[in-house]
Amino acid sequence: MQIKSAEFVISSPDVGGCPNPDRPEYAFIGRSNVGKSSLINHITNRRKLAKTSSTPGKTQLINHFMINDSWYLVDLPGYGWAQTSKVNKAAWKKMIHTYLEQRQNLACVFVLVDIRHEPQNIDLDFMQWLGEEGIPFCIIFTKSDKLGKTQIQSNVASYKKEMKKTWEEVPPTFVTSSADRTGGEKILDFIDRVNGEIRSH
Ligand code: GDP
């Protein structure tokens, strides 16, 4: 898929403020600092569509972007800020869970994980919850430029092995580097395919 247009639409404090659910929607989420903003800018081929390195405590909003006039890309606030308060965590959970449960046009959630790290409970628990809710998701490994080829393969394999402990099927996975600008095309092809399936139904 070629990106012909990518425009910011609206930032919403909750699912009620989101645009009309008139197009398929793909949400990106992960721990803070995982490289989400960089990845969104990489796949949309825009330098500053998503703002990088947002600070903890900043208002947490659901950010909608319209791509090619045909689908929404959603930048969701990250989780796992070390300094965040219990109140902030509870507010994040309520907002995100409500959005994910209620958004009718949500086609897939992309959960981003840093390829350098061992599987973390915060990510595994979140994916467990998505699975229980029946919300389709994929895993995107970020920052693959930080590792060699062999290490990438072995880290992806051990992540999948960890997931197989609880899942019969491992969701689709993508390996990306925003620094090297790799892996974005496969994500766009996947989105294109799902959009096609949605249209033909
Ligand atoms: P966010 O908080 O998840 O939106 O993460 P950002 O996109 O702001 O990135 C967090 C930090 O990781 C920044 O210092 C980025 O420059 C860096 N970063 C993001 N993507 C990559 C990548 O693919 N490779 C490398 N080496 N660094 C990255």
Side-chain angles (χ1 to χ4, degrees):
M1 187 201 310
Q2 281 229 325
I3 301 292
K4 296 184 200 113
S5 60
E7 288 144 31
F8 169 73
V9 181
I10 195 169
S11 293
S12 325
D14 53 39
V15 69
C18 293
N20 277 342
D22 52 4
R23 288 160 168 80
E25 182 154 314
Y26 298 83
F28 291 74
I29 194 164
R31 292 189 84 155
S32 49
N33 244 5
V34 70
K36 177 169 53 77
S37 312
S38 306
L39 182 82
I40 291 172
N41 292 336
H42 162 48
I43 66 173
T44 56
N45 208 12
R46 300 291 187 277
R47 285 208 336 194
K48 288 185 180 167
L49 194 65
K51 294 188 189 80
T52 49
S53 298
S54 45
T55 41
K58 219 185 79 178
T59 321
Q60 304 223 300
L61 297 166
I62 302 167
N63 301 299
H64 274 77
F65 301 92
M66 169 87 82
I67 313 296
N68 291 354
D69 269 332
S70 62
W71 55 279
Y72 287 119
L73 184 157
V74 177
D75 181 6
L76 292 174
Y79 47 83
W81 286 111
Q83 303 94 328
T84 211
S85 67
K86 268 191 182 165
V87 175
N88 277 349
K89 271 188 203 158
W92 176 90
K93 195 169 177 181
K94 182 163 181 242
M95 168 177 132
I96 296 299
H97 282 201
T98 311
Y99 162 81
L100 293 168
E101 283 164 349
Q102 295 186 2
R103 191 74 176 150
Q104 301 126 281
N105 59 332
L106 184 64
C108 188
V109 179
F110 291 104
V111 181
L112 276 60
V113 296
D114 189 321
I115 193 148
R116 294 171 296 173
H117 302 153
E118 307 247 297
Q120 313 272 310
N121 281 339
I122 194 164
D123 299 312
L124 296 172
D125 291 349
F126 179 65
M127 291 190 264
Q128 183 68 35
W129 180 83
L130 288 173
E132 283 162 11
E133 293 294 318
I135 300 165
F137 68 95
C138 297
I139 300 174
I140 297 182
F141 295 101
T142 62
K143 308 192 187 183
S144 67
D145 57 284
K146 298 260 194 187
L147 298 178
K149 245 189 179 165
T150 317
Q151 197 62 49
I152 290 173
Q153 281 169 359
S154 117
N155 285 19
V156 170
S158 55
Y159 210 98
K160 286 183 174 169
K161 199 171 159 197
E162 179 65 34
M163 292 209 70
K164 276 192 187 138
K165 288 183 187 167
T166 31
W167 297 83
E168 226 162 89
E169 244 181 276
V170 174
T173 57
F174 300 91
V175 175
T176 65
S177 161
S178 304
D180 284 353
R181 309 192 57 74
T182 55
E185 251 170 56
K186 289 210 168 118
I187 296 169
L188 289 174
D189 288 346
F190 175 87
I191 291 173
D192 209 20
R193 215 167 48 242
V194 177
N195 282 343
E197 283 165 19
I198 292 170
R199 267 196 304 272
S200 66
H201 271 99

